[in-house]
Amino acid sequence: MTSPAAPAVEKVISRAWGTPHSHTLAEYRKRGGYEALKKALEMAPQAVLEEVKKSNLRGRGGAGFPTGMKWSFVPKDSPKPKYLAVNGDESEPGTFKDRYILEEDPHLMLEGIAIAAWALDVHTCYVYLRGEFKFAAQRLQAAIDEAYREGIFGKKMLGKDFELNVWLVRGAGAYICGEETALLESLEGKKGWPRLKPPFPAVVGLFGCPTVVNNVETLASVPPIFQRGADWYAKLGTEKSGGTRLICLSGSVNRPGVYEISMATTLRQLIEDPDLGGGMPAGRKVKAVIPGGSSAPVLAADELDVALEFEALKVKQTMAGSGGVIVMDDRTCMVRSLWRVARFYAEESCGQCTPCREGTPWQTRLLRKIEEGRGEPEDLEMLLNVATSIAPYPPIGLGTTICALGDAAALPVHSFVARFRAEFEAHIHEKRCPFGDRPWGHFGDWA
Amino acid sequence: MAEPLFTPEQQKTFDTELAEILTHYPPDRKSAAMLPAVRLLQSLKGWCPPEGLTLVAERLGVTKERAYEVASFYVMYHLKKPGKYVVDVCTNLSCSLRGAESLLGYLEDKLGVHAGESTEQWTLRETECLASCGTAPCLQINEDHFENLTSREKVDAVFAKLK
């Protein structure tokens, strides 16, 4: 058992949140805003890229790919224009950090965009924002307008002859558009059907041109690297992953919310630390925790002494994903929970690949049948069979579909059944949900 | 004679805003403006009528089928005229763990409409995660967001303002 207190860490991304007018350029400048860009503009683009590599920054959207390496895949001698596409299509269930960045400190990300554009010789950037985010869109557009007015974007960048245009594009309600190639399709004005890779977007991306796709938090992590140095940033993190991390805590816990933590923090510390999750609601115990958005395989109560970090979670056959930690307590029905998760993937499957298009509703139907007490003994094997046909597990990444949505839909099924098989069997044998009409362990008025 | 799609003022807004949007894209990539153009159409009409999608397609130099394909792919575009208020209740995992299913049931009774159905006044839908998991349960009315709906009183207060 580890100590209940999480390791202390300096806040890098969330430090201004909640302070008055934190979203304005004036306040951002008082915090040293756009000084990192000044430094970066004095460096050669290649040196900027090397600095990001040295920082060990890894993508915060879900896959955790090293950012500097991603940038280095953009061909230097391409005669085509290059693009930066920002992935702000935050829709992974349990994830709500990018929204806070954009609402509370949009210039942090915009400065990251400017630095990335300089490093990559990009002159056009599209920020693809989830369609539902009205307030974040307003805050972000206002910040972009400020940056144009103050000579950061537009024809010149802080007086330097370097043009950058930044356009906000709002999505329209499709989880799949958070997948980077679906996002590019959507930016091109199409339905969000993922593309086969390779070629990767860094080579053939938006409008057939080299394109870097980075998550909001990833770009917001760039200015601190130049303010304080890549070595400092790398040391905040673990051996293979620099910096801090935003974690979105939700579900059955006393203090849900977004927390910036050290990547050495364990799941147990995240839940128990009085300054973080603040423990479980009275009389309840942890039953299960999803550590990285609903696509990440679930962990049981005895698996919480694991650091919320890419490599450590990989060892547990799950993933750090988008940082969405969802806590389920001992009054929660795991069949009901999995059914709801399965419905999400069935709803959001884009329909392109057969295993996912057909398999996700099939999983949902079987889970509904079991939850409603109509399950047959063979249904559980059938459920696993369907999940395996979409994506076998373990390990993660064996999916039979073009994009990872298939994996994301199958992993919860595999992991829930592996850890809570007896509960699924009880539903089938008792021909009812053992939790009766209270499958969610309700809170407050909704009891 | 069929009613025109837009009033003259709406037509002017549509033309001006679409022209501005098109400056964001390379001149030979007009069709990339499909999502913002359909959003603009819906903001003026409240939904995406077929003749509106045809107009968008014409302006962007694509077929009307292509416009319909896009409009039908994304859940925020309404291909049928919705109620005056579109109420989207998140029932995904984090919200359900905080009572979203009961909240939805309460709204079905309160508004007199089942989830997935519409009246003149209300369209009630279950929706997927709205990124308010830390302030669950939550819902959205048209494009406005409401969080921490932990009691009937809080829900009633939100709806008391809507007529």
XYZ file of all heavy atoms in Angstrom, chain A residues 2-6 268-270 272-274:
82
model
N 0.592 2.172 -0.866
C 1.359 3.411 -0.931
C 0.768 4.439 0.026
O -0.326 4.265 0.531
C 1.329 3.983 -2.357
O -0.010 3.931 -2.828
C 2.207 3.185 -3.289
N 1.514 5.534 0.230
C 1.028 6.617 1.088
C -0.232 7.227 0.483
O -0.368 7.310 -0.727
C 2.122 7.678 1.202
O 1.562 8.959 1.232
N -1.162 7.670 1.342
C -2.394 8.235 0.787
C -2.173 9.591 0.119
O -2.992 10.033 -0.664
C -3.313 8.370 2.002
C -2.412 8.363 3.183
C -1.184 7.587 2.801
N -1.051 10.274 0.465
C -0.833 11.605 -0.121
C -0.108 11.486 -1.459
O 0.881 10.763 -1.582
C -0.023 12.466 0.830
N -0.600 12.192 -2.439
C 0.025 12.179 -3.759
C 1.315 12.987 -3.710
O 1.428 13.927 -2.931
C -0.918 12.781 -4.783
N -4.791 5.068 -6.389
C -5.283 5.096 -5.011
C -5.082 6.484 -4.406
O -5.979 7.023 -3.747
C -4.581 4.031 -4.160
C -5.203 3.854 -2.775
C -4.482 2.827 -1.922
N -4.344 1.521 -2.551
C -5.328 0.613 -2.631
N -6.523 0.870 -2.131
N -5.113 -0.557 -3.197
N -3.905 7.064 -4.651
C -3.645 8.409 -4.125
C -4.594 9.437 -4.737
O -5.079 10.328 -4.053
C -2.194 8.814 -4.407
C -1.195 8.041 -3.556
C 0.228 8.196 -4.065
O 0.440 8.487 -5.243
N 1.197 7.968 -3.183
N -4.833 9.291 -6.018
C -5.745 10.223 -6.685
C -7.120 10.198 -6.004
O -7.736 11.241 -5.765
C -5.899 9.862 -8.169
C -6.932 10.692 -8.929
C -6.441 12.118 -9.152
C -7.288 10.049 -10.273
N -7.812 8.990 -2.856
C -7.803 9.194 -1.400
C -7.284 10.561 -0.955
O -7.693 11.075 0.080
C -6.943 8.103 -0.733
C -7.502 6.693 -0.854
C -8.837 6.530 -0.156
O -9.084 7.249 0.830
O -9.645 5.700 -0.628
N -6.329 11.132 -1.671
C -5.704 12.382 -1.221
C -6.771 13.449 -0.977
O -7.598 13.717 -1.841
C -4.711 12.861 -2.292
C -3.862 14.045 -1.807
O -4.447 15.019 -1.305
O -2.636 13.982 -1.948
N -6.744 14.071 0.236
C -7.786 15.060 0.555
C -7.790 16.266 -0.398
O -8.825 16.909 -0.555
C -7.444 15.517 1.978
C -6.247 14.774 2.411
C -5.815 13.825 1.352
